[in-house]
Amino acid sequence: MSTTFPSTEKNESSPSHAASALPAWFTERQALGRERFDALPMPSAKDEAWRFASASKLDPEILQTVEKAPAPNRTEEAMQRSVLVNERSGKAVFVNDQCVDFEPVSEELQAKGVRYLTIEQALQSEAALLEKYLFQQKTELGSEKYFELHAAFLKAGSVLFVPRGVEIEAPFVNYHWLDGEGACAFPHTLVIAEDNAKVSLVDVFFSVDGESKGFAAGVSSIIAGAGAKVFRKVVQDWNESTVSFQLDNTSAGRDAEVKSVAVNIGAERARFENQVTIEGAGAHVKLYSLTVAEKRQEFDQRTLQTHNAPNAVSDLLYKNALLDRSRTIFSGLIRVAEGAQQTDAYQTNRNLLLDPTADANALPGLEILANDVKCSHGATTGNVDEDELFYMMSRGIDRRTAMQLLVFGFFEEIIEKVESDELAEGLRTLIHQKFEKKIRSKQLV
Amino acid sequence: MNALEIKNLNVSIDGTAILKDFSLTIPKGEVHALMGPNGTGKSTLAKVIAGHEDYTVDSGEVLIDGENILGKEPDEISHAGLFLAFQYPLEVPGVSIANFIRAALQARLPEGEDINAVEYYKNLYAKMDALQMDRKFTSRSLNEGFSGGEKKRCEILQMSMLEPKYSIMDETDSGLDIDALRVVSEGVNLMRGPERGFLVITHYQRLLNYIVPDKVHVMYDGKIVETGDKELALKLEEKGYEWLAPAGAGA
């Protein structure tokens, strides 16, 4: 098997070595991040925000791990495998937070004012823009400590700025790879879509090999202006020796349409926080997630839909399929501020238990201060429907294949929401690879 | 024997007898109607024959052309040549009609052999056209959000693609308006022939104007109490079922 050593070669073309002095506000924020990280306590399962989660398994010495993290080695391989989406407007590939491939936005879009840059590039050429938007959104779902850790070590990620009225069809695609034992990454995605702009992007999280221990703490921020349309898709398939945090934040302006679809397949333990704030009347936000858990994987999902403005819709659907002794936690809150009348807010969590030892926890919640709203939340947890199974088998389909079709059908509801045949097909392949091994190796019922 | 034979079948659920020494033979080439009031065991009979595991078979036999199918898995029974058109077809999100029927056909092929996709779609579209189904349905999730009529058409489509030796139609007419009833009946009639037998379960005589049966059986309290020709159905329509109630049986 491949053994990796920190690379001693210098990659001359890498932007990380070309950087000149960082802006003072940025280095100060990094220092502050470090300070706050040290000051904040380790999460504990006693915290409401960590209920049911294996907080005790978090590494208290994570700083040492980060400081000893290896440089990337198999960058060629990572580049060659960064092919999930080929129809695109731009692409960035990072390995252990080092940018190894960057495909800029077309000159035509650039002329219209579109900016697609790595964080490092943006710190040089668009420092004012970055200063205005970076870390302006709060995180409050329990991983503040890791948000600060991210701030302290941030150097990789992408900034996407789409000016007023500019519409871009093909997505921007960011790949983040972990390579080698002890690899760390702090992926950042910042999207600013001005009024009536339209843009989509895909964030992909992969590991170069299947065994090396890894750590990632990613943050994303989407700021959607009035009437803006933003569509973000996330594919998380770290290897199953990786601990991952992904802290997402979205702010939707008046009549903005923001949609996110996240597919979570990988990591040993993945914590996923998604907060959406509706700041403008008439905004429409959709949040979809699909998780396929196996072995002893733990997926810990915390969501917050905040409605601060009236006449807006937020709709959340998180689906989890659990195999073996895997665990999922879904904890979601809908918060409707006083004055956010005529809010429609929905939250649905569906868990498909494919093994009696799997464990799905659901903590749905509502906090409503307005009096004229439509809100619902619901969670269901269950096995494959025996009646559906009988129906399929009565057509001559054997039990195993019928199970497979039903489970893939469960996934399909989310997969088709990526609205891209190419990406949907890629996701099916990733999921089926993980799942088919299972379904072949044992009877699932 | 070239028939679907049900012999002295006794079936119970949680200790309650539902089918009581039930016997019926449907030779190939014939259409038999099974009528009777609610709760008399008609749907149970259909499910037991198709291999549903919720029921306990206490004794009896079900033979397809001489081969016993009781105790087999539903997929094996399907391969033996049985089709059950469900009274309430299930909605299966995320599984398209095209993929579903394809998987059912694929399951009939020997290991390592694959369906010819071009032939398959040609055949599927032809059958959909005959049933006046929009071809766009192929990519829709199986029965999800379908109207009652669309669901039943989809059942007939599956039947015509799978070409079973024997079909049990469980209340195929329920929830259908007259146009849908006509289309569904035509679908069944097109498949009638010397190589196939049908058991049509229904409450109402209406369906039998479209699918004219060779024989009509009346089921009451778990067994057949009367057998006749299509005139019997008309008589039932007029007089109801009460006159057939066995002495002492609760209606």
Side-chain angles (χ1 to χ4, degrees), chain B residues 19-37:
Chain B
L19 297 182
K20 299 169 183 170
D21 210 30
F22 185 97
S23 293
L24 175 63
T25 297
I26 300 152
K28 258 191 196 145
E30 292 189 10
V31 174
H32 289 212
L34 183 64
M35 302 182 73

Side-chain angles (χ1 to χ4, degrees), chain A residues 391 393-396 398 405, chain B residues 75 79 84 107-108 155 158:
Chain A
Y391 184 51
M393 289 178 74
S394 78
R395 298 318 186 226
D398 66 87
L405 282 168
Chain B
D75 56 319
H79 293 189
L84 170 61
R108 288 164 164 74
E155 294 291 287
Q158 292 167 38

Side-chain angles (χ1 to χ4, degrees), chain B residues 18-162:
Chain B
I18 299 177
L19 297 182
K20 299 169 183 170
D21 210 30
F22 185 97
S23 293
L24 175 63
T25 297
I26 300 152
K28 258 191 196 145
E30 292 189 10
V31 174
H32 289 212
L34 183 64
M35 302 182 73
N38 268 331
T40 195
K42 303 189 300 296
S43 283
T44 298
L45 174 72
K47 285 186 187 165
V48 167
I49 296 174
H52 200 290
E53 59 183 21
D54 280 0
Y55 302 93
T56 310
V57 176
D58 300 311
S59 62
E61 279 184 311
V62 178
L63 307 168
I64 286 183
D65 298 344
E67 181 198 351
N68 185 39
I69 56 164
L70 270 189
K72 291 196 169 179
E73 290 287 314
D75 56 319
E76 296 170 326
I77 295 170
S78 168
H79 293 189
L82 187 91
F83 183 88
L84 170 61
F86 280 54
Q87 182 178 5
Y88 303 109
L90 283 103
E91 302 196 6
V92 186
V95 179
S96 71
I97 290 182
N99 283 347
F100 177 56
I101 298 178
R102 192 174 169 154
L105 288 170
Q106 179 71 49
R108 288 164 164 74
L109 295 180
E111 187 95 16
E113 218 173 281
D114 273 328
I115 261 176
N116 178 324
V118 177
E119 288 294 315
Y120 167 66
Y121 274 98
K122 208 173 130 189
N123 190 14
L124 183 65
Y125 287 146
K127 300 233 153 105
M128 290 178 85
D129 293 349
L131 286 165
Q132 297 173 26
M133 284 177 86
D134 192 327
R135 290 181 177 191
K136 285 191 195 116
F137 267 78
T138 50
S139 58
R140 283 186 57 179
S141 286
L142 184 59
N143 296 325
E144 197 183 29
F146 286 20
S147 70
E150 286 166 343
K151 283 182 183 169
K152 296 299 168 76
R153 265 179 233 216
C154 184
E155 294 291 287
I156 306 299
L157 175 67
Q158 292 167 38
M159 177 173 77
S160 65
M161 289 297 287
L162 297 177

Side-chain angles (χ1 to χ4, degrees), chain B residues 15 26 37 56 67 79 101-102 167 182 200 210-211 218 231 247:
Chain B
I26 300 152
T56 310
E67 181 198 351
H79 293 189
I101 298 178
R102 192 174 169 154
S167 271
R182 193 175 295 128
V200 178
Y210 296 94
I211 305 173
V218 181
E231 301 305 321

